[in-house]
C-alpha cells in the first residue's frame, strides 16, 4: 500500500492550505478509511469531492478509484493547482482525476455521482450558500447515491472571515435536515467524527456526520 508520505516542509505547506497543523496524515487516511471501511465504496464508484482543497483526502481516493471516477471542485485556484501537484508527486496522473476550480459546488459539471463528499466545508458557508450546496447535491446525486457531510453544531461564535477569509459558522443539525428536505433528500445522523476514528487532536472530532439520500 502506498505511504502518501510527504517530507515535513512540504506537508506543512500543503496542510496550511486546508486546516490546523499536525493532522495531515490522519485526516487524509480518515477520508479513505471512512469510504472503504464504513460506507462500502468500490473502485468503480463515481465520486464528487466538493471543497476538495489540495486533495488531502482526495489523493487517496484517486489512488483507490478507477481512472476518471474522481472529481474534485474547489473555489480556490491555488488549492486545485496544489492538488494537481500532489497527483503528479504520487504518480497518479494516469488516474485522470477531474479537478475543477468552481465556487458553485459542481453546478458546472455534467453527470451524476454515486457518492458526494463535502468534508470540512459546510461550516465555512453562509446559510444562502448551504442552500445552493444542497441544490447542487440533489442535482448531482445518482438515484441510489449518498452524500456525506460533516457539520459543526458546537463551536464558534459565527464571526466572519475566521479562516483564510472564510467565515466559520455553528449551525443546528435541523437547519441541514430542513434544507435537504426542501431538495428531496432525507437525512441520517451517523454520529460524531470520533466515532469513525477521526483524530482526537482537534475539535473537529466532535463534528457530526450526516448522510443524505433520496
Ligand atoms: C477546511 S478546507 C477542507 C479541504 C478538504 N475537504 C480536506 O479535507 O482537506 C475547506 C475547503 O473548502 C473550499 N471552499 C470554501 N468555499 C467553497 C465554495 N463555495 N465552493 C467550493 N469550495 C469551497 C476552500 O477553498 C477549502 O479548500
Amino acid at each position: 500500500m502506498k505511504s502518501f508520505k510527504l517530507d515535513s516542509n512540504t506537508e506543512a505547506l500543503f496542510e496550511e492550505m486546508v486546516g490546523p497543523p499536525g493532522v495531515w496524515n490522519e485526516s487524509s487516511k480518515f477520508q479513505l478509511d471512512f469510504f472503504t471501511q464504513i460506507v462500502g465504496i468500490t473502485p468503480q464508484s463515481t465520486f464528487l469531492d466538493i471543497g476538495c482543497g489540495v486533495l488531502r483526502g482526495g489523493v487517496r481516493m484517486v489512488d483507490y478509484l478507477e481512472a476518471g471516477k474522481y472529481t474534485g471542485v474547489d473555489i480556490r485556484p491555488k488549492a486545485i493547482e496544489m492538488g494537481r501537484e500532489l497527483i503528479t508527486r504520487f504518480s497518479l496522473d494516469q488516474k485522470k482525476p477531474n479537478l475543477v476550480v468552481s465556487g458553485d459546488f459542481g453546478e458546472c459539471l455534467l453527470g451524476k455521482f454515486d457518492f458526494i463528499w463535502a468534508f470540512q466545508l459546510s461550516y465555512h458557508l453562509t446559510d444562502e450558500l448551504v442552500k445552493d450546496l444542497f441544490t447542487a447535491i440533489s442535482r448531482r446525486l445518482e438515484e441510489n447515491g449518498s452524500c456525506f457531510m460533516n457539520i459543526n453544531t458546537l463551536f464558534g461564535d459565527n464571526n466572519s472571515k475566521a479562516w483564510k477569509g472564510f467565515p466559520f459558522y455553528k449551525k443546528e443539525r435541523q437547519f441541514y435536515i430542513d434544507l435537504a428536505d426542501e431538495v428531496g433528500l432525507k437525512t441520517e445522523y451517523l454520529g460524531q467524527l470520533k466515532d469513525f476514528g477521526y483524530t482526537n487532536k482537534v475539535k473537529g472530532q466532535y463534528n457530526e456526520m450526516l448522510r443524505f439520500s433520496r
Side-chain angles (χ1 to χ4, degrees):
M1 191 173 163
K2 258 199 178 104
S3 84
F4 293 101
K5 191 87 192 98
L6 293 168
D7 67 72
S8 54
N9 287 341
T10 311
E11 182 179 301
L13 283 175
F14 275 83
E15 186 163 38
E16 197 269 328
M17 287 288 287
V18 285
V23 294
W24 172 267
N25 275 314
E26 287 145 298
S27 189
S28 173
K29 192 164 175 306
F30 168 82
Q31 300 189 44
L32 178 68
D33 290 349
F34 179 74
F35 277 95
T36 54
Q37 295 171 17
I38 314 276
V39 172
I41 194 171
T42 69
Q44 294 76 37
S45 307
T46 47
F47 188 92
L48 172 61
D49 193 350
I50 305 182
C52 61
V54 299
L55 303 199
R56 179 169 50 172
V59 72
R60 290 180 197 250
M61 299 308 303
V62 170
D63 181 53
Y64 172 80
L65 293 167
E66 286 183 351
K69 303 290 184 179
Y70 176 94
T71 297
V73 298
D74 200 283
I75 196 169
R76 290 179 299 166
K78 180 72 186 166
I80 291 294
E81 185 191 318
M82 289 176 76
R84 289 203 177 106
E85 197 187 315
L86 212 56
I87 290 298
T88 301
R89 267 175 188 267
F90 291 113
S91 309
L92 289 168
D93 291 285
Q94 81 287 356
K95 285 294 184 91
K96 299 188 179 2
N98 183 22
L99 303 179
V100 182
V101 178
S102 151
D104 67 4
F105 311 117
E107 280 279 10
C108 58
L109 302 170
L110 297 173
K112 297 192 180 228
F113 296 83
D114 299 316
F115 295 103
I116 299 181
W117 185 221
F119 192 58
Q120 301 190 343
L121 170 69
S122 64
Y123 42 75
H124 292 306
L125 304 177
T126 60
D127 291 1
E128 214 36 57
L129 282 174
V130 180
K131 206 171 177 177
D132 293 347
L133 174 63
F134 274 99
T135 304
I137 289 169
S138 181
R139 208 166 280 171
R140 294 272 82 88
L141 196 62
E142 284 283 10
E143 209 42 44
N144 295 316
S146 292
C147 169
F148 297 88
M149 179 189 297
N150 66 317
I151 62 166
N152 166 42
T153 58
L154 297 175
F155 305 108
D157 54 5
N158 292 347
N159 54 338
S160 61
K161 313 294 176 200
W163 180 77
K164 294 203 167 295
F166 293 107
F168 188 87
Y169 296 111
K170 171 172 73 176
K171 300 181 204 281
E172 306 263 319
R173 189 193 309 163
Q174 192 60 43
F175 170 76
Y176 297 95
I177 294 173
D178 291 344
L179 285 183
D181 189 53
E182 275 178 31
V183 296
L185 298 175
K186 58 180 191 299
T187 307
E188 196 184 331
Y189 166 65
L190 301 180
Q192 293 181 318
L193 296 199
K194 65 182 176 58
D195 303 328
F196 300 104
Y198 194 67
T199 175
N200 62 9
K201 290 183 194 159
V202 290
K203 280 185 188 167
Q205 66 177 300
Y206 301 110
N207 286 173
E208 296 188 0
M209 184 73 89
L210 304 179
R211 172 177 181 259
F212 305 100
S213 58
R214 295 193 205 284

